[in-house]
């Protein structure tokens, strides 16, 4: 589609005055189907010519995109062509036609063009189809001035690293050649929040649509200016290379850098002559850092390290860094080989061998003279300046007075004390930049080249300025990363001892006091972490990674066994989508297609129905354009994941609907097993002779060895299903079994108990959980909720976010210490079924106190990787969100897992756990709230997005619990304990007796009922309620696997949901279950089933669903029906029909007459012999909910208890 405008050109030359200029604006891209139709009508020779030319252009484009030379060549060719065109137009007075493509323009800037709050970006860091929010591209106009390119001005921009990119500027005040010349070659430019795109000719470039985005920029010249620019690069971890280049440029801009290196090198030679080899090595190391092209300094470093075992590594570093620095390499290599007795090899990258010297001890005497205070500098000023001192040192050296010569050289350095300080800061900043380069894949300590370089830079920084506290701290960070924490502790102990020594030359200065304070604090933390590390042990002999593979059924060879990878999947779905478009174009289903059969006609009609015509939001392009990719993610991989999710949204609804309506829908073996949570229900169905009807309960829990069991090989940060509001009473005890993340407590309704004797007492919340991880984390969260010092925002991040602020980390560790002290106290170690002490729980706490968190960028990569591996379908849920703000906020969360502001490090709970811990489950914090709550919050605050609504609601809930804790109205006790069926184990029976002794007033069972045989569960629950007055709350997520008819495949012809295909394609599996294959066509019964299936689809996907969504307000947030497979949509509707049957079955299993057989040790009393049902409900549909079909219930076994009050709440 295009818009055409024509206007007189008022700025043209007199010779062409009155010529017309037309402007064509393309507002959408070409239709590929029309392009194919056009090509199909051409002769073969013409098509062959077009394809050949297209391949040639593609090759030229690839060369242009892939090389600097190609980019320059194409740019100059375009300049020539447009210049020739302009000359011909002016001579002939021809009509001028300009074109722009506005369907792919950049969104408005999110920040002002002042640049102070933006982090620079390099040209080679630009991501395609992405707006780089909060970034600025800095560089100069290169390879000729800008020129007028149609309706835009184009120029090549070269950044500070020499990378080039073409820039097109639109909407200039004057779109003329004269206006383009305002950008001459060499002019510095800044492009704020650059938008990089693939242009119409296939080349890459930056598009600037608003003049405010492009401003003049003056490149740094002085050291301080380069340092300031480097500091701006460090604001974004992806700017590490730019930061390092800026800091090196700042170092080179120091006017006396080489002079300082020369003096330090000379002092090093003096120390060698005195036999002080280690002191000589330190002076030489500082000299080589200041001037890597100084061969004498490298040689002296090797000599000084000769007896330490570090000389060979230093020599390899010398040959690598001195190359290209005007050093005489052959001579240097010869001298080094003479010193070492062997020919050193040149290293490719930094290794630990190069940094061995950094571990050598430091002493006060080695600091003397390297840095002078102001008074010492005044005393050392001599007539003739530093040159005089250098000459004097040379004479003393020649006379063999090496000590005096060394002092002269060091005194000469006093004249450059400011430059020494600047150099120290620059090296320290380089080390800080490298701290951002941590790899997310490190399972243990590794020797990365970046960490080696950072260690050396931080050591040199401390050599040049021993009072630079940050340099010492960064040394320790790198040593800890390299697995040498004891060495870091030793180093800080030496610094502490040296700064307290009366001979220390700067003992009375404020900087020395500040250094001592920083070192003591860091030393204390290192010692604490080391102590906890020594006590930590692996939780299992099976690694966490192997446990994850076992649980998912993955093997390293999976890729070689025909498993479809992401690129193959995208290609397949694209082909299906394209065929669908072709069908629409050719009129399939209107008599023009090849339907052939009645089923085919139904299929074609569905594939051209309402679902196929809906337009799904293009969130895969919308997000990077509006927000840019989060730091740390692989943008190309993230783009593929979102694109595949978008294709699913476009394909699944109409494609699966057609298969279902036509009766052609099939279930694979894995789908059948997933539907029934195993094969046990299929055995029950086979025993009944396949005589099952919709609503029949298929309870297979009695099968020995194949009943459902809780998978302990998972680690959940928060509940995967929202808790309904449960009523808890002050003055009573509430027992929460399987409390996981304290969701039942935070979402509860609190009220006074009815009994007068309970008035004024607190609510006692007692949690039992079999996951040691959940106990450890929830205990810390509970401690944070009771703290008056910890901001509630810290609790939000600790509980839900994949990344934390440094302040939240500090609060978490403080709470860890308190909880660990409670675990290790004498009271907690007393014998009893319920006790705080647990070795594994303590192991988690110690580990969190012992390790440093991974960087935020690494946490984002791990979160996204886990989401792709275990929860990939959730990305498609974004397509069902109506509001753009919700889609953008939801994708930000799904890509990073982060909530709250100022995320700086990864969550210790998610990413830093003891080896052998269970692997992380598919995580989604928003599952903690039901859809009804989101609707309620959106109605009250329609301006907020879904993620902000979630944070606001859970923050208020946590604040409410905090008030209760701090006012003394609530106590929280959490235990690791496992409740088992009565009579199976003495430990299990002891836990049940201990729970009963608490005299619980209310129980929360979460979905524990899914993992018990129901008669055994009721026996246990009655036993725990023997003291009466107990109300029970529970929900089931797995009940649908026990009711026939809750999946639409149960109702389809051929019953695909109970037909278990054999892995080899035979009917062996079905035969073993008593099932027979039937390959006949549709019978009358099949046709009736198909009619019922279509009625269900009409209800779940048609006007009825839309009307229900409108009545509930759900259509304000979600597109209904969702852009999801109809399998999920229809299942929710079927569950509304049949959940009552399962509830009846659940309560029938509570028959008291069966207790003596299934649980002979259960205690019956007058207060637990009855059964009264309470409230029941089902979840509302939500596109990103893990289980929309959960059923919630409440009940009591006390025959004297009335539930009306509870039900009304």
């Amino acid at each position: 589609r295009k818009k055409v405008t024509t206007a007189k050109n008022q700025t043209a030359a007199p010779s062409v005055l009155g010529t017309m200029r037309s402007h064509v604006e393309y507002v959408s891209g070409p239709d590929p189907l029309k392009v194919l139709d056009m090509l199909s009508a051409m002769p073969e020779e013409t098509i062959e010519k077009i394809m050949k030319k297209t391949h040639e252009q593609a090759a030229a484009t690839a060369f242009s995109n892939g090389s600097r030379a190609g980019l320059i060549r194409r740019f100059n060719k375009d300049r020539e062509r447009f210049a020739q065109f302009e000359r011909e137009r002016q001579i002939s007075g021809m009509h001028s036609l300009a074109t722009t493509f506005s369907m792919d323009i950049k969104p408005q800037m999110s920040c002002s063009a002042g640049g102070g709050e933006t982090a620079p970006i390099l040209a080679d860091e630009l991501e395609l189809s992405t707006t780089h929010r909060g970034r600025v591209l800095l560089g100069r106009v290169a390879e000729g001035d800008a020129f007028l390119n149609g309706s835009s001005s184009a120029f090549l921009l070269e950044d500070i690293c020499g990378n080039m990119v073409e820039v097109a500027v639109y909407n200039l005040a004057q779109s003329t050649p004269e206006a383009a010349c305002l950008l001459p070659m060499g002019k510095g430019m800044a492009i704020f929040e650059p938008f990089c795109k693939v242009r119409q000719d296939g080349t890459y470039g930056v598009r600037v649509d608003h003049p405010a985005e492009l401003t003049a920029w003056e490149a740094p010249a002085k050291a301080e200016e380069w340092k300031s620019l480097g500091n701006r690069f460090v604001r974004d971890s992806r700017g590490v290379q730019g930061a390092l280049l800026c800091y090196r440029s700042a170092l080179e801009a120091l006017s006396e850098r080489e002079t300082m290196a020369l003096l330090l090198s000379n002092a090093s030679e003096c120390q060698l002559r005195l036999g002080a080899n280690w002191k000589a090595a330190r002076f030489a190391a500082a000299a080589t850092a200041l001037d890597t092209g100084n061969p004498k300094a490298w040689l002296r470093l090797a000599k000084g390290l000769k007896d330490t075992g570090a000389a060979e590594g230093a020599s390899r570093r010398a040959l690598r860094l001195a190359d290209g620095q005007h050093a005489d390499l052959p001579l240097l290599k010869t001298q080094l080989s003479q010193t070492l007795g062997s020919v050193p090899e040149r290293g490719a990258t930094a290794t630990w061998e190069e940094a061995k010297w950094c571990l050598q001890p430091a002493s006060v005497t080695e600091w003397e003279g390297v840095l002078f205070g102001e008074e010492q500098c005044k005393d050392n000023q001599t007539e003739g300046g530093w040159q005089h001192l250098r000459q004097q040192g040379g004479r003393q050296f020649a006379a063999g007075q090496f000590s005096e010569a060394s002092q002269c050289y060091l005194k000469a350095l006093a004249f450059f004390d400011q430059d020494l300080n600047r150099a120290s800061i620059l090296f320290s900043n380089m080390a800080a930049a490298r701290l951002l380069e941590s790899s997310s894949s490190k399972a243990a300590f590794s020797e990365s080249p970046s960490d080696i370089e950072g260690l050396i830079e931080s050591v040199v920084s401390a050599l040049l300025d021993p009072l630079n506290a940050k340099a010492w701290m960064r040394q320790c960070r790198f040593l800890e990363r390299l697995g040498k924490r004891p060495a870091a502790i030793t180093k800080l102990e030496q610094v502490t001892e040296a700064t307290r020594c009366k001979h220390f030359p700067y003992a009375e200065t404020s900087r020395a006091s500040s250094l001592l304070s920083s070192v003591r604090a860091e030393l204390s933390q290192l010692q604490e972490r080391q102590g906890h590390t020594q006590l930590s042990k692996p939780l299992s002999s099976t690694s966490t990674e192997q446990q994850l593979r076992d649980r998912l059924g993955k093997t390293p060879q999976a890729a070689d066994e025909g498993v479809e990878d992401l690129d193959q999947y995208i290609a397949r779905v694209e082909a299906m989508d394209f065929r669908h478009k072709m069908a629409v174009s050719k009129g399939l289903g209107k008599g023009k297609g090849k339907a052939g059969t009645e089923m085919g006609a139904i299929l074609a009609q569905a594939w051209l129905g309402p679902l196929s015509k809906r337009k799904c939001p293009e969130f895969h392009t919308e997000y990077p354009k509006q927000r840019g990719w989060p730091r740390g993610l692989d943008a190309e991989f993230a783009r593929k994941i979102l694109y595949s999710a978008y294709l699913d949204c476009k394909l699944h609804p109409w494609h699966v609907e057609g298969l279902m309506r036509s009766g052609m829908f099939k279930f694979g073996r894995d789908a059948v097993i997933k539907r029934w949570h195993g094969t046990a229900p299929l055995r029950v169905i086979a025993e009944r002779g396949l005589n099952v009807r919709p609503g029949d309960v298929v309870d297979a829990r009695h099968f020995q060895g194949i009943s459902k069991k809780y998978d302990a090989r998972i680690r959940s940060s928060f509940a995967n299903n929202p808790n309904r509001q449960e009523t808890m009473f002050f003055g009573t005890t509430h027992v929460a079994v399987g409390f996981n993340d304290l969701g039942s407590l935070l979402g509860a309704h609190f009220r006074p108990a009815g009994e007068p004797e309970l008035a004024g007492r607190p609510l006692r919340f007692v949690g039992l959980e079999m996951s040691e991880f959940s106990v450890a984390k929830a205990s810390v969260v509970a401690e944070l909720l009771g703290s008056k010092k910890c901001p509630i925002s810290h609790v939000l991040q600790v509980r839900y976010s994949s990344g934390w602020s440094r302040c939240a980390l500090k609060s978490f560790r403080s709470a860890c210490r308190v909880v660990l002290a409670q675990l290790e106290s004498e009271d907690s170690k007393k014998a009893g079924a319920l006790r705080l002490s647990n070795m594994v729980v303590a192991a988690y706490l110690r580990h969190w106190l012992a390790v440093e968190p991974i960087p935020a960028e690494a946490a984002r990569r791990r979160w996204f990787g886990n989401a792709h591996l275990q929860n990939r379908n959730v990305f498609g849920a974004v397509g069902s969100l109506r509001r753009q703000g919700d889609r953008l906020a939801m994708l930000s969360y799904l890509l990073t897992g982060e909530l709250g502001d100022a995320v700086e490090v990864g969550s210790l709970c998610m990413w830093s756990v003891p080896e052998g811990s269970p692997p992380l489950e598919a995580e989604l914090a928003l599952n903690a709230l039901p859809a009804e709550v989101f609707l309620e919050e959106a109605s009250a605050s329609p301006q907020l997005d879904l993620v902000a609504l979630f944070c606001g609601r859970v923050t208020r809930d946590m604040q409410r619990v905090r008030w209760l804790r701090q006012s003394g109205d609530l106590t929280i006790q959490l235990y690791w304990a496992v409740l088992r069926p009565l009579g199976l184990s003495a430990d299990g029976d002891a836990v049940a007796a201990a729970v009963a002794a608490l005299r619980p007033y209310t129980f929360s069972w979460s979905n524990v009922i899914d993992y018990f045989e129901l008669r055994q569960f009721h026996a246990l629950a009655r036993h725990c309620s023997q003291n009466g007055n107990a109300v029970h709350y529970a929900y089931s997520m797995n009940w649908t696997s026990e009711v026939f008819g809750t999946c639409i495949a149960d109702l389809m012809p051929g019953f695909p949901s109970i037909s278990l295909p054999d892995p080899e394609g035979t009917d062996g599996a079905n035969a073993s279950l008593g099932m027979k294959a039937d390959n006949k066509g549709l019978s009358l019964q099949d046709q009736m089933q198909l009619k019922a299936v279509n009625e269900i689809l009409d209800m779940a996907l048609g006007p009825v669903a839309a009307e229900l969504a409108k009545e509930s307000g759900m259509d304000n947030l979600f597109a209904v029906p969702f852009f999801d497979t109809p399998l999920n949509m229809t299942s929710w509707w079927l569950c509304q029909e049949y959940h009552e049957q399962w509830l009846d079955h659940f309560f029938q299993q509570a028959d008291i007459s069966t207790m003596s057989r299934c649980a002979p040790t259960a205690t019956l009393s007058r207060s637990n012999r009855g059964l009264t049902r309470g409230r029941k409900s089902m979840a509302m549909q939500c596109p990103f909910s893990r289980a929309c079909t959960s059923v919630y219930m409440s009940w009591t076994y006390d025959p004297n208890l009335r539930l009306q009050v509870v039900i009304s709440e």
Side-chain angles (χ1 to χ4, degrees), residues 774-997:
S774 294
V775 175
K777 180 183 175 183
S779 297
V780 176
V781 169
E783 179 62 29
L784 291 172
L785 285 171
S787 171
K788 296 181 179 180
K789 297 180 179 179
C790 174
I792 203 70
S793 59
H794 293 181
V795 190
L796 172 73
Q797 284 192 330
V798 167
R799 187 176 178 220
Y800 290 114
S801 181
S802 71
W804 303 343
S805 67
R806 285 278 178 188
C807 293
L809 172 65
K810 184 177 180 180
S811 296
F812 175 82
R813 281 187 163 151
S814 296
C816 271
R817 294 185 186 99
V818 174
V819 175
L820 185 59
Q822 292 171 351
L823 287 178
E824 295 175 342
S825 66
E826 289 300 320
D827 290 341
S828 70
K829 297 178 181 179
K830 292 178 179 178
L834 299 181
R835 54 183 179 177
L836 296 173
S837 181
N838 179 279
M839 292 180 61
V840 178
V841 174
Y844 278 106
L845 297 169
R846 288 195 187 96
H847 189 81
W848 291 333
L849 290 171
V851 299
E852 276 294 287
I854 64 174
E857 293 77 11
R860 291 176 193 130
R861 290 191 289 273
R862 291 194 183 183
W863 167 274
F864 184 59
N866 189 65
H868 163 62
L869 183 64
Q870 301 197 71
N871 202 22
R872 181 173 152 190
N873 291 339
V874 76
F875 292 101
V878 176
S880 301
L881 302 180
R882 283 196 180 277
R883 305 185 301 182
Q884 184 187 65
D886 290 341
R887 293 195 295 273
L888 296 176
M890 190 67 177
L891 276 176
S892 289
Y893 171 73
L894 292 178
L895 291 169
T896 66
E898 294 173 357
L899 296 173
D901 299 325
V903 171
E904 299 167 286
V905 298
S907 162
L908 286 179
C909 298
M910 285 190 182
W911 315 121
S912 303
V913 293
E915 184 54 47
S917 298
L920 201 63
E921 198 188 12
E923 302 276 51
L924 189 68
L926 274 68
N927 273 331
L929 291 182
E932 299 92 320
V933 173
F934 282 105
L935 298 181
E936 176 187 328
E937 294 294 317
S939 176
S941 304
Q943 76 280 6
L944 298 180
D945 60 67
L946 281 177
V947 177
L949 293 173
F950 171 82
C951 292
R953 178 58 178 257
V954 298
T955 297
R956 292 199 304 275
D957 288 343
M958 290 189 296
Q959 188 65 65
R960 184 169 56 109
V961 171
R962 165 168 284 187
W963 289 335
L964 292 175
R965 286 215 64 191
Q966 294 180 353
S967 65
D969 291 326
L970 171 67
T971 63
I972 301 176
Q973 295 172 295
L974 306 179
Y975 302 98
W976 178 84
V978 182
L979 275 170
R980 296 185 173 89
L982 294 174
L984 291 187
S985 70
D987 289 343
D989 289 356
V991 172
V995 170

Side-chain angles (χ1 to χ4, degrees), residues 227 383 398 401 617 656 794 984 1005 1064:
K227 175 194 162 191
E383 188 176 349
Q401 299 173 345
V656 177
H794 293 181
L984 291 187
W1005 291 98
E1064 285 74 30

